[in-house]
């Protein structure tokens, strides 16, 4: 019998070699889970299948783990390494025979309990053939998918049709010590192991494929029967003089406009197209902190992805990355402006559902959309939306719009039985394909509607865009967040009758700010945003190659030793390697003379480079202010730096969504300056080493925050001079002065003239007690504003301060 089994295993391995293409997650399970290949190792899987065994065995051989097809010696006995929880369904029967899991488990635990020095590792391995979730009402396609437990014959067709989409995912080894401590009886331990593994595999399958899909008609029927929508239909009929059936038909048309029509086949086709696209567009996509999402999936959380929004590429990139992490692509809240032929149908079948910019005055639409969103959460679909509401035109995070987030919290109040976690996502590029369009829009041009012609034009202009960066930020457990900030939130839970609780707006606004803060905490430094930060601080947008490399090395060291946040990712490449990479992107000029090479931003790129600098300017905010203070005074104490930042940091934090400043941050920055031989620092007082090179490096770093401080100074000076000025007048006069300074000092940063940025700053001044705003929107300075003005005048160059005063 063993000989027959070995022959069949060899046949399966040969078939695996010819017909199967496996994606392994994670790439290095030994390193990821700290596995020891020398320890007795067992693999627990959902199904006893020779195809599964062959795929697992090939992966084990590749990564250097003990082979799954070979027995394991433990306590003098040979035990099968491959532990399957379930046998396949017999071809002509409906009930499968019991698997070997309990018997094998008993052998393992008997050996471990009989020898206290014995060790072993049992590793759960999820093996999927394709990612088809199946239908709630199975059809012919389900017969050849892995969504049902297959017989050996159906398994043959599953491998035949889905062998190129095989996924093998290792998980954290089961904690055997905890199992043994929890259950002292050896007979109970295998049952405990099987129960733990079944729950794990159920969650893994749901995370990888999503819940089973209803038919579109079935989905619409269930939604239209929901009490909230029935009430909205009745109200619509009454208010517009329609029959109930006519109003119901309107609701159905709205559902047809909104609802996704997810197709696993479309996602697989999209995966192949996007793989080609990324290889053509980018030199690589760097993904960090993906293990955070896997941990949430392992725990059975409902996952909501909330990325920043830089480009239309975000929709594709994040979905692609999630899919390649072995997770089901989320349903995506997309603007209805993207629902144009043929892209709308493709997006819809890839999981997009469409949302209008405004619900105002349309109660039926609001009710239909909220019910649809609630059903997504209740059924267990992951969701993605952009809380900024649109793409950033300046490169900085936009103030969050809270509509989708509020509806998410209201959906929670329906009594969802799983914890909900929000995953903020930072996305960055070395080239944003729409950046020229953004600049035109900031200059006053109207935003063009998306169309198929724009798509073809974009495809025609495909070129090397450098690298893309995607960092998963610190997740926010919404249940835990509300427990901490609104302890009575569960009192508002009701399965059907959802009244908007009084605390909702406040908690949603604070949660939105937390999301944006977590996005910026996971920022990614890259060659282009680093060069933009340096070269834009020089009046001619140029620097000698030697000086540029020195400054780049300084900034990289600063971010490694005095990080704004530990989650910020920093390139491992040297300054010279980063520069060489950036030169290939055709954004820089290399000029040569007798003294060497000069690196300059191409003239057409100078304004555009502000976008990339704004992606990371928050990382240099505090170091820049301290550097400017040192450059102006040559000697400062830690206490003086603290006093300055106590005034400025709350404004920075509001503008750039910063975390509270940690106590040792200033000392870390000064220590780094000292280690770079720019200053002398004894732990309390910092003194500048007065040589031209060190002063130049500090001056360049100080200029990183200069535009922001100039904007602050203009507004503050106007308020101080014109007590009682109205918001409208202040915005108008600030714009006039900003334009004048732009002309006098060559300022071309788009957000320097952006009224939205000004409005946000005025609100921040009010929130932190620098000003008071009357009911008539008249603004009056408070005593604190004088202190802020003093610090701004101290930090800014005399020429800038003089220009501001001359215009008042």
């Amino acid at each position: 019998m063993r000989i027959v089994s070995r022959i069949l295993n060899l046949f399966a391995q040969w078939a695996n070699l010819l017909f199967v293409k496996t994606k392994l997650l994670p790439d290095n399970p030994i390193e990821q889970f700290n596995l020891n290949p020398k320890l007795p190792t067992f693999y627990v899987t959902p199904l006893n299948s020779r195809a599964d065994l062959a795929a697992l065995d090939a992966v084990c051989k590749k990564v250097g783990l003990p082979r799954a097809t070979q027995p394991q010696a433990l306590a003098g006995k040979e035990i099968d390494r491959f532990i399957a929880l379930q046998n396949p369904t017999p071809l002509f029967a409906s009930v499968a025979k019991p698997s070997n899991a309990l018997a094998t488990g008993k052998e393992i635990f008997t050996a471990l309990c009989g020898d206290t020095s014995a060790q072993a590792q049992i590793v759960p391995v999820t093996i999927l053939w394709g990612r088809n979730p199946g239908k709630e009402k199975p059809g012919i396609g389900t017969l050849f998918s892995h969504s049902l437990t297959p017989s050996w014959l159906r398994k043959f067709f599953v491998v035949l049709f889905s062998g190129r989409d095989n996924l093998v995912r290792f998980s954290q080894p089961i904690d055997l010590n905890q199992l043994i401590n929890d259950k002292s009886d050896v007979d109970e331990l295998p049952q405990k192991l099987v129960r733990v593994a079944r729950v794990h595999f159920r969650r893994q399958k749901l995370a990888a494929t999503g819940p089973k899909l209803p038919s579109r008609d079935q989905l619409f029927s269930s939604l239209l029967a929901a009490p909230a929508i029935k009430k909205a239909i009745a109200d619509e009929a009454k208010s517009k003089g329609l029959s109930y059936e006519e109003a119901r038909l309107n609701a159905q048309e709205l559902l047809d406009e909104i609802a996704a029509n997810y197709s696993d086949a479309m996602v697989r086709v999209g995966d192949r197209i996007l793989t080609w696209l990324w290889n053509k567009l980018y030199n690589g996509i760097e993904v960090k902190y993906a293990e955070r999402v896997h941990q949430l999936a392992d725990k059975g959380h409902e996952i909501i992805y909330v990325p920043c929004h830089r480009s239309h590429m975000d929709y594709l990139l994040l979905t692609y990355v999630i899919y390649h992490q072995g997770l089901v692509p989320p349903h995506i809240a997309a603007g209805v402006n993207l629902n144009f032929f043929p892209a709308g149908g493709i997006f819809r079948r890839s999981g997009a559902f469409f949302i209008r910019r405004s619900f105002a005055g349309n109660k039926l639409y609001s009710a239909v959309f909220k019910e649809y969103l609630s059903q997504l959460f209740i059924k267990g679909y992951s969701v993605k939306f952009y809380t900024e509401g649109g793409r950033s035109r300046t490169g900085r995070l936009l103030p969050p719009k809270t509509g989708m987030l509020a509806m998410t919290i209201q959906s929670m109040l329906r009594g969802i039985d799983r914890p909900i976690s929000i995953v903020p996502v930072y996305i960055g590029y070395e080239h944003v394909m729409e950046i020229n369009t953004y600049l035109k829009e900031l200059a006053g041009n109207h935003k063009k509607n998306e169309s198929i012609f724009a798509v073809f034009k974009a495809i025609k202009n495909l070129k090397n865009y450098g690298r893309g960066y995607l960092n998963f930020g610190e997740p926010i457990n919404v249940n835990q967040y509300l427990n901490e900030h609104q302890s009575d939130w569960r009192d508002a839970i009701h399965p059907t009758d959802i009244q908007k609780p009084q605390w909702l707006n406040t908690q949603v606004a604070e949660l939105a700010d937390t999301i944006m803060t977590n996005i910026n905490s996971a920022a990614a430094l890259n060659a282009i945003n680093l060069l933009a930060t340096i070269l834009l601080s020089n009046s001619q947008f140029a620097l000698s190659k030697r000086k540029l490399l020195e400054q780049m090395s300084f900034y990289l060291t600063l971010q490694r030793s005095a990080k704004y946040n530990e989650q910020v990712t920093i390139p491992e490449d040297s300054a010279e390697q980063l520069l060489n990479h950036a030169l290939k992107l055709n954004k820089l000029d290399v000029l040569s003379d007798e003294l060497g090479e000069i690196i300059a931003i191409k003239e057409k790129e100078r304004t555009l480079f502000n976008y990339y600098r704004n992606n990371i300017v928050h990382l240099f905010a505090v170091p820049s202010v301290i550097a400017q203070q040192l450059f102006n005074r040559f000697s400062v104490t830690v206490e003086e730096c603290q006093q300055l930042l106590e005034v400025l940091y709350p404004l920075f934090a509001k503008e750039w969504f910063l975390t509270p400043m940690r106590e040792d941050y200033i000392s870390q920055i000064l220590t780094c300056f000292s280690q770079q031989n720019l200053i002398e620092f004894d732990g309390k007082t910092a003194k500048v080493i007065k040589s031209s090179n060190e002063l130049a490096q500090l001056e360049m770093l100080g200029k990183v925050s200069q535009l922001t401080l100039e904007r602050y100074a203009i507004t503050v000076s106007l308020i101080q001079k014109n007590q009682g000025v109205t918001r409208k007048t202040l915005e108008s006069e600030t714009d006039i002065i900003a334009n004048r300074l732009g002309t006098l000092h060559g300022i071309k940063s788009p957000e320097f003239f952006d009224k939205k940025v000004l409005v946000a700053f005025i609100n921040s001044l009010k929130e932190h007690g620098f000003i008071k705003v009357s009911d008539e929107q008249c603004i009056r300075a408070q005593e604190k504003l004088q202190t802020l003005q003093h610090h701004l005048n101290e930090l800014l160059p005399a020429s800038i301060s003089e220009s501001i005063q001359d215009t008042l």
Side-chain angles (χ1 to χ4, degrees):
M1 195 67 181
R2 278 189 174 274
I3 295 175
V4 174
S5 181
R6 286 177 183 174
I7 292 172
L8 290 174
N9 284 344
L10 285 172
F11 177 78
Q13 289 170 7
W14 172 78
N16 184 82
L17 189 65
L18 289 180
F19 301 114
V20 176
K21 181 179 180 181
T22 297
K23 179 173 181 58
L24 170 65
L25 288 173
D27 294 334
N28 188 343
I30 294 177
E31 182 181 321
Q32 180 79 25
F33 301 122
N34 197 26
L35 300 177
N36 184 353
K38 296 180 180 179
L39 277 181
T41 303
F42 301 90
Y43 306 101
V44 57
T45 67
L47 184 67
N48 185 14
S49 160
R50 294 191 190 278
D52 288 12
L53 176 59
L56 174 58
D57 188 67
V59 166
C60 291
K61 181 180 178 181
K62 179 181 177 181
V63 301
L65 282 168
R67 300 284 294 275
T69 53
Q70 297 172 354
Q72 174 67 59
L74 184 65
K77 295 184 66 176
E78 283 198 345
I79 306 173
D80 286 340
R81 281 203 178 102
F82 187 69
I83 307 171
L85 298 186
Q86 185 177 359
N87 279 325
T89 305
L91 188 58
F92 299 109
S94 58
V95 180
K97 294 179 180 179
S99 75
N100 70 337
L102 291 176
T104 305
K106 186 172 182 179
E107 288 183 295
I108 295 169
F109 286 114
T110 299
L112 293 176
C113 293
D115 183 357
T116 55
S117 64
Q119 290 182 294
Q121 52 192 8
I122 299 180
V123 185
V125 184
T126 305
I127 303 173
L128 294 174
W129 301 87
R131 309 267 200 97
N132 189 340
K135 300 284 189 180
E136 289 184 357
K137 290 185 177 181
I140 188 69
T142 310
L143 296 175
F144 305 115
S145 79
H146 206 245
S147 59
L148 298 175
T149 304
S151 65
W152 66 266
L153 181 59
R154 190 137 45 87
K155 185 73 173 196
F156 170 80
F157 287 107
V158 167
V159 174
L160 184 65
F161 289 116
S162 302
R164 310 304 289 177
D165 289 304
N166 176 239
L167 174 68
V168 175
R169 187 186 164 199
F170 285 76
S171 297
Q172 187 74 38
I174 293 170
D175 190 337
L176 298 182
N177 290 329
Q178 183 178 340
L179 278 180
I180 292 170
N181 291 335
D182 289 347
K183 298 283 186 183
S184 57
D185 189 342
V186 174
D187 291 331
E188 294 181 6
L189 287 171
Q191 296 174 4
K192 176 72 172 178
L193 171 67
V194 168
R195 285 197 299 272
V196 169
R198 277 184 178 146
V199 171
H200 172 79
F201 289 130
R202 214 164 30 240
R203 288 176 176 173
Q204 289 293 302
K205 189 171 186 297
L206 183 65
T209 68
K212 292 185 178 181
L213 299 171
S215 69
R216 201 165 174 82
D217 289 342
Q218 182 185 358
L219 173 65
F220 286 8
S221 295
S222 65
L223 287 170
L224 292 171
I229 292 187
K230 288 173 75 174
K231 182 178 184 303
I233 291 171
D235 291 345
E236 176 87 350
K238 184 177 179 180
S239 64
K240 294 187 176 180
L242 304 173
S243 70
Y244 184 87
E245 285 305 316
E246 287 174 324
R248 189 179 187 278
L249 184 60
N250 289 344
Q252 186 168 328
E253 289 174 353
L254 291 175
L255 275 173
D256 195 52
E257 174 191 315
I258 294 166
N261 190 20
Y262 182 83
S263 164
D264 173 66
M266 178 61 73
V267 170
R268 282 188 280 114
V269 171
D271 172 48
R272 285 156 175 76
I273 293 172
L274 289 178
T275 298
W276 168 83
L277 183 66
W278 301 143
N279 289 334
K280 187 171 180 65
L281 285 181
Y282 300 110
N283 293 331
I285 305 295
E286 297 189 16
V287 180
K288 301 292 184 183
Y289 308 125
E291 65 276 5
R292 290 172 165 167
V293 186
H294 288 299
Q295 288 168 4
L296 293 175
D298 289 346
K299 295 175 182 176
H301 284 228
E302 171 70 29
I303 300 174
I304 301 171
Y305 302 93
V306 184
C308 60
H309 204 2
R310 314 276 195 215
S311 165
H312 280 320
M313 280 294 177
D314 301 344
Y315 297 108
L316 306 176
L317 180 60
L318 180 52
T319 298
Y320 179 83
V321 167
I322 291 169
Y323 185 75
H324 276 259
Q325 289 298 319
L327 301 168
V328 62
H331 278 53
I332 308 163
V336 75
N337 59 306
L338 294 178
N339 190 17
F340 60 89
F341 179 83
I346 295 172
F347 290 154
R348 197 183 295 276
R349 293 182 70 80
S350 301
F353 59 96
F354 294 100
I355 180 172
R356 295 179 183 178
R357 291 292 179 190
S358 174
F359 294 9
N362 196 332
K363 293 182 179 179
L364 181 61
Y365 182 86
S366 178
V368 167
F369 186 88
K370 288 178 180 178
E371 188 65 29
Y372 176 74
L373 185 65
S374 292
Q375 286 301 310
L376 291 181
F377 293 137
I378 290 169
K379 287 180 176 291
Y381 296 103
S382 58
V383 171
K384 175 176 74 175
F385 61 79
Y386 299 89
T387 193
E388 291 173 279
R391 292 165 293 159
S392 171
R393 267 61 177 173
T394 62
R396 62 173 59 226
L397 291 185
L398 302 174
K401 294 183 178 178
T402 57
M404 280 292 295
L405 194 55
M407 285 187 281
T408 298
I409 301 298
Q410 287 180 292
S411 296
M412 279 185 65
L413 300 181
R414 298 281 294 270
I416 297 173
D417 59 0
R418 298 178 315 288
I420 292 180
S421 284
I422 292 173
V423 180
V425 186
Y426 175 92
I427 302 176
Y429 304 93
E430 290 181 330
H431 179 84
V432 173
M433 62 188 300
E434 304 100 322
I435 194 165
N436 286 294
T437 303
Y438 292 167
L439 192 62
K440 292 175 184 177
E441 289 176 18
L442 287 168
N445 290 6
H446 290 295
K447 178 181 178 294
K448 292 183 179 179
N449 293 329
E450 279 73 20
S451 68
I452 185 59
F453 302 106
V455 173
F456 285 136
K457 184 178 179 181
I459 292 173
K460 180 183 176 183
N461 294 331
L462 292 181
K463 59 180 181 179
N464 179 13
Y465 288 157
R467 294 175 184 147
Y469 300 83
L470 193 149
N471 293 345
F472 292 98
E474 184 69 33
I476 302 165
N477 184 318
V478 181
N479 305 65
Q480 183 178 331
Y481 181 91
L482 290 177
N483 286 341
E484 293 172 359
H485 295 83
Q486 191 69 44
S487 58
D488 63 345
W489 70 274
R490 294 180 187 276
D491 295 344
I493 292 177
H494 192 283
T496 56
D497 184 22
I498 300 301
Q499 298 294 323
K500 182 178 177 181
Q502 292 183 346
W503 49 261
L504 184 67
N505 289 347
T506 301
Q507 294 303 338
V508 165
E510 292 180 5
L511 179 57
D513 281 347
T514 302
I515 292 169
M516 306 307 280
T517 299
N518 287 12
I519 290 173
N520 261 352
S521 293
L525 274 175
N526 63 51
I528 295 299
N529 58 35
L530 194 57
L531 283 166
T533 303
I534 296 169
L535 292 174
L536 289 174
S537 299
N538 289 271
S539 57
Q540 299 305 312
F541 312 108
L543 207 58
S544 73
K545 183 176 180 180
R546 181 177 66 83
K547 290 289 186 184
L548 178 59
L549 290 174
E550 282 181 3
Q551 198 72 6
M552 285 182 75
S553 296
F554 170 37
Y555 285 9
L556 288 169
T557 302
L558 176 63
Q559 288 301 324
R560 288 180 182 129
S561 59
K563 271 186 179 181
Y564 154 68
N565 191 285
E566 285 302 315
Q567 299 174 76
V568 173
T569 56
I570 301 164
E572 295 180 0
D573 296 340
S574 67
E576 188 159 9
Q577 288 171 322
L578 291 172
L579 178 58
N580 290 336
H581 166 71
L583 290 173
K584 296 175 184 177
L585 302 181
N586 199 32
K587 296 177 182 290
L588 302 166
D589 283 325
V590 181
L591 313 173
S592 298
D593 59 19
E594 293 82 357
L595 300 177
E597 292 182 335
I598 295 173
I599 309 297
I601 305 173
K602 287 181 179 289
E603 186 173 356
K604 67 178 183 179
E605 298 281 348
R606 289 175 183 175
T607 305
L608 304 180
F609 258 49
N610 285 280
Y611 188 98
Y612 304 111
R613 177 184 60 184
N614 286 344
N615 290 174
I616 61 161
V617 68
H618 63 286
L619 305 182
F620 293 93
V622 174
S624 174
V625 167
I626 293 174
Q628 188 62 36
Q629 194 178 23
L630 280 163
F631 179 78
N632 290 343
R633 297 174 55 180
F634 296 111
S635 176
V636 296
T637 65
V638 172
E639 185 178 356
E640 287 170 334
C641 292
Q642 288 172 337
Q643 290 172 352
L644 171 64
L645 287 163
E646 280 176 6
V647 177
L648 287 176
Y649 195 82
L651 301 174
F652 289 166
K654 189 69 176 177
E655 179 165 347
W656 290 315
F657 300 101
L658 304 182
T659 58
M661 191 169 68
R662 59 183 186 274
E663 291 182 6
D664 60 346
Y665 190 31
I666 293 172
S667 294
Q668 284 182 357
I669 293 167
L670 292 172
T671 299
C672 178
F673 289 177
S674 176
Q675 291 170 346
Q676 296 296 300
N677 297 317
L678 303 180
I679 63 171
E680 295 174 349
F681 180 53
D682 61 7
K684 292 184 178 179
T685 303
K687 296 181 180 179
V688 176
I689 300 171
K690 298 181 184 178
S691 70
S692 58
N693 186 59
E694 283 73 21
L695 281 173
Q697 285 191 275
L698 287 173
E699 182 183 22
M700 270 190 279
L701 177 57
K703 286 182 177 180
V704 171
S705 61
Q706 185 171 306
L707 282 179
T708 300
L709 299 177
E710 287 174 18
R711 285 193 288 104
Y712 289 2
I714 293 170
T715 306
V716 168
S717 298
L718 279 169
I719 293 171
Q720 288 282 29
K721 183 175 181 182
N722 303 299
Q723 291 291 330
V725 63
T726 64
R727 269 181 179 264
K728 187 175 180 180
T729 301
L730 179 62
E731 291 170 15
S732 174
E733 293 190 7
T734 299
D735 187 54
I736 292 169
I737 297 175
N739 277 287
R740 184 171 180 81
L741 259 66
T743 302
L744 291 173
H745 299 280
I747 299 170
K748 294 184 178 180
S749 182
E751 77 274 8
F752 194 71
F753 314 98
D754 190 346
K755 287 188 178 181
K756 291 180 181 178
V757 175
L758 171 61
V759 170
F761 178 58
I762 294 171
N763 291 336
S764 186
L765 288 175
K766 177 185 175 183
E767 181 180 331
H768 292 99
F770 290 99
I771 61 174
K772 278 192 175 181
V773 182
S774 69
D775 294 339
E776 294 77 25
Q777 296 300 299
C778 294
I779 299 170
R780 292 194 175 275
Q782 301 300 291
E783 189 175 340
K784 285 177 64 176
L785 197 66
Q786 184 67 44
T787 305
L788 173 59
Q789 187 176 33
H790 169 74
H791 286 310
L792 293 171
N793 289 337
E794 184 183 49
L795 290 171
L796 289 174
S799 59
I800 298 291
S801 296
E802 184 179 353
S803 293
I804 293 172
Q805 294 304 315
D806 283 347
T807 58
L808 296 176

